[in-house]
Amino acid sequence: MAGDFITIGPTASRAFEKWPSLHKAFHEAAYDTSIYYHKQHGEIGAGPRKVNETFGWNLIRPDLHKMLMDTVLAEGIEVRYLQHVVDYLETADKGGVKLSDGENLYADIVIAADGIRSKSWTVVTGEEPKTYSSGSAIFRCAYDTKHAMANPVLREKWDLSKHGETMHFFLGSVSHGIMLIGKEKICWGWMHRDDETTSTESWSAKLAAETALKQLKDDGEWASEYLAAVEATPPNSIIHWKLVWRDLHKDWVSRNGRVVQIGDAAHAFLPTSVNGGTQAFEDAVSLPCCLRIAVDQQGSEGIPMAVRVHNTLRLERVSFIQQLGFKRRHVYYNIDWEAVKKDPSIVAAEPAPWQYKHNPEQYALDRFEECRTCLETGTPFKNTNMPEHYKFEPWTVKDMENGAK
C-alpha cells in the first residue's frame, strides 16, 4: 500500500483498546512528534509544539493498514484477495456485490467501505456523486529516513538525536508543504496548483523527484531542508494526488437499508481537515453498535432501521468537521505571521473538546432508542456530538468557497 502518513485522533484510537495486540501495535508505530510552523522560505513562525493526545497520532499508512489486517486475520475473518467489486446489488432483504468475475455475493448487510470511488452510489442515491476541480493537487510520499539523513542539509538541520521526531508545515500564499521526520520513515507532501497532465485520484500515479523539485522551485523560494527532503526521494516514490471536491453527501443508506456507506465512500474530507481517517474509524465504531442493538431486538429485520439511525447520528458531526477543512485551507493561505507570534493556535489544527472527547460507541448506545423513535414518528432529532451553536444546513462546494471568501 502506498502513501504518506495519516493522523488518527483519540476518538478513533480508543476503540483499539478492545484489541490489546492492535492497541500495542498502534502506539508502537505512532510518531512522537513536535510540530513547527514555518514561512515558505523556512523561517520558524511558531513551534515547537508537542503533539498531545487530543490532537492524535501520526502513522505511516502502510503500517496502519498492516496492523488492521493482522487483527482481522487473527480474528479468523476470511479475506478474499484479487476480488474486484464492479457493482452493488440489493433485494428486499439482502445486500450484495457483483465481482469482476461475474460472481454475485449476498448478505443481510453490505458495508461499502471502498473509498471515494465506491460503486455503491448505484443503490444508495442512483446518481454518481458530482466532483469539482479544486485547481490543486498534492505530491505525497514516504521513504526510509536513512536516505534523507545522507543529505548534509537535513542531517545538520533536523538531527534526530538532538530534536527527536518532528513535523513541519511550510506555509505559502498559494501552496503549502508538510514534512515529517521519523526514526524509520520521512514523509513530505506539497499541496500546489494542479498540473492535470500528471495528477489523478490514484495511489499509483508515480512522479520523479526531479519533476516535483522543478515545480517547487518554479513556485518560489522554499526552505533548504524541505527541498533537500524532496531531492533525496527515491525513484518512483511520489504520488501525485488530484484534490477533487465533493458536495455534502447526506444519504449513506440504500432504499431497502441493506447497503450502507462508511468512511470516504460516505464523506470525503480535504487533507486540511486532518480528520478523514478518524471519522472513518468513528463510523466503524458507531455502525456495528447500532447493528448490535437492532439485531438483538429484531434479528435481521432490524438492520434497515439500524443503518438509518447510524446515518442520523453521524451526519451532522461529520458535516461540521468537513467544513473545518475548508476553513483551515483558507487560514493557511492567508496567514498574519505577526498575529501567529502572539497566538500560535491560529495555525494549529488542535481539535476542540467536543471533537476529542466524543465516544462514538457510547453515543450510539445512549441515543439509539431516541433516534429510532424520532425516525419512526417523523420527529426532529437533536444531535449532541457537535458544537452547541452549530445549526446543520446542507452545503455545497460553492457555499464553502463563498464562505471562505
Side-chain angles (χ1 to χ4, degrees):
M1 183 180 177
D4 45 3
F5 68 92
I6 186 169
T7 302
I8 302 298
T11 57
S13 63
R14 288 190 200 107
F16 300 161
E17 295 173 6
K18 297 189 176 183
W19 289 272
S21 60
L22 175 59
H23 186 250
K24 180 173 182 289
F26 177 83
H27 285 284
E28 286 177 349
Y31 281 52
D32 182 20
T33 55
S34 296
I35 300 182
Y36 296 78
Y37 295 91
H38 305 253
K39 297 179 182 180
Q40 180 174 312
H41 62 271
E43 179 186 341
I44 295 176
R49 180 180 63 83
K50 195 68 177 175
V51 170
N52 56 44
E53 186 175 301
T54 62
F55 178 84
W57 293 266
N58 295 315
L59 296 89
I60 302 297
R61 289 176 186 269
D63 290 347
L64 178 62
H65 184 266
K66 181 179 185 304
M67 66 183 69
L68 292 172
M69 181 59 76
D70 288 345
T71 303
V72 166
L73 296 176
E75 292 292 323
I77 299 171
E78 179 187 1
V79 178
R80 295 176 60 171
Y81 297 93
L82 300 177
Q83 301 286 300
H84 300 290
V85 173
V86 296
D87 200 4
Y88 282 76
L89 311 167
E90 185 176 48
T91 67
D93 59 358
K94 298 288 182 183
V97 292
K98 176 183 286 292
L99 303 181
S100 56
D101 63 3
E103 182 181 6
N104 293 339
L105 302 175
Y106 287 93
D108 291 328
I109 180 68
V110 171
I111 301 171
D114 46 351
I116 53 177
R117 292 184 174 178
S118 176
K119 301 285 197 307
S120 54
W121 60 266
T122 59
V123 295
V124 173
T125 63
E127 296 182 0
E128 187 169 6
K130 292 181 180 179
T131 60
Y132 307 88
S133 173
S134 68
S136 299
I138 310 170
F139 292 152
R140 54 204 315 177
C141 75
Y143 59 90
D144 290 342
T145 301
K146 64 183 180 182
H147 293 301
M149 289 305 159
N151 186 298
V153 174
L154 273 173
R155 191 168 60 248
E156 179 182 353
K157 190 80 174 179
W158 299 111
D159 186 342
L160 283 159
S161 64
K162 296 179 181 178
H163 303 283
E165 296 180 317
T166 56
M167 184 176 179
H168 306 264
F169 288 81
F170 300 91
L171 304 175
S173 60
V174 294
S175 66
H176 72 270
I178 303 174
M179 182 171 66
L180 188 153
I181 303 172
K183 294 181 178 66
E184 300 294 331
K185 297 284 186 180
I186 182 170
C187 305
W188 66 266
W190 181 42
M191 186 179 291
H192 57 276
R193 286 168 290 196
D194 191 13
D195 174 3
E196 297 189 3
T197 62
T198 57
S199 67
T200 181
E201 282 189 309
S202 169
W203 291 108
S204 61
K206 299 297 178 66
L207 201 71
E210 295 79 12
T211 303
L213 199 60
K214 180 182 183 305
Q215 196 165 333
L216 263 169
K217 291 179 177 179
D218 288 344
D219 191 71
E221 181 185 0
W222 288 87
S224 59
E225 64 267 32
Y226 186 58
L227 294 176
V230 177
E231 190 172 16
T233 305
N236 300 317
S237 300
I238 302 172
I239 306 297
H240 197 188
W241 185 273
K242 182 184 292 293
L243 184 58
V244 175
W245 289 343
R246 291 168 171 83
D247 294 334
L248 174 68
H249 179 37
K250 295 191 300 178
D251 300 314
W252 310 341
V253 178
S254 60
R255 172 181 288 187
N256 296 329
R258 296 295 173 167
V259 177
V260 58
Q261 299 168 326
I262 67 170
D264 278 354
H267 41 71
F269 282 81
L270 298 185
T272 45
S273 72
V274 198
N275 234 268
T278 298
Q279 293 310 309
F281 278 111
E282 286 192 19
D283 282 350
V285 172
S286 169
L287 176 59
C289 186
C290 292
L291 288 169
R292 183 176 69 234
I293 294 171
V295 171
D296 283 350
Q297 295 176 351
Q298 298 178 271
S300 63
E301 292 182 2
I303 289 175
M305 180 54 73
V307 294
R308 292 187 174 96
V309 168
H310 162 76
N311 193 157
T312 304
L313 295 178
R314 297 282 301 142
L315 172 63
E316 295 176 351
R317 174 178 173 83
V318 164
S319 171
F320 187 82
I321 297 174
Q322 283 177 304
Q323 292 175 68
L324 291 178
F326 286 93
K327 178 181 178 181
R328 191 167 293 124
R329 184 176 187 270
H330 179 72
V331 169
Y332 280 175
Y333 296 155
N334 296 273
I335 291 179
D336 180 345
W337 285 105
E338 291 303 314
V340 169
K341 289 179 182 179
K342 298 175 183 177
D343 181 10
S345 68
I346 292 173
V347 292
E350 289 285 355
W354 67 267
Q355 284 183 267
Y356 64 76
K357 290 184 177 181
H358 180 61
N359 183 326
E361 179 180 20
Q362 194 60 50
Y363 189 72
L365 288 170
D366 293 344
R367 305 299 304 277
F368 182 90
E369 295 296 348
E370 178 188 355
C371 184
R372 175 168 61 183
T373 298
C374 287
L375 292 176
E376 289 174 341
T377 61
T379 306
F381 176 78
K382 182 174 176 55
N383 272 300
T384 56
N385 55 359
M386 55 188 183
E388 291 184 11
H389 65 80
Y390 178 57
K391 181 181 179 182
F392 172 75
E393 292 183 2
W395 53 265
T396 65
V397 167
K398 187 175 181 180
D399 294 334
M400 294 299 99
E401 288 186 284
N402 290 338
K405 292 174 183 177

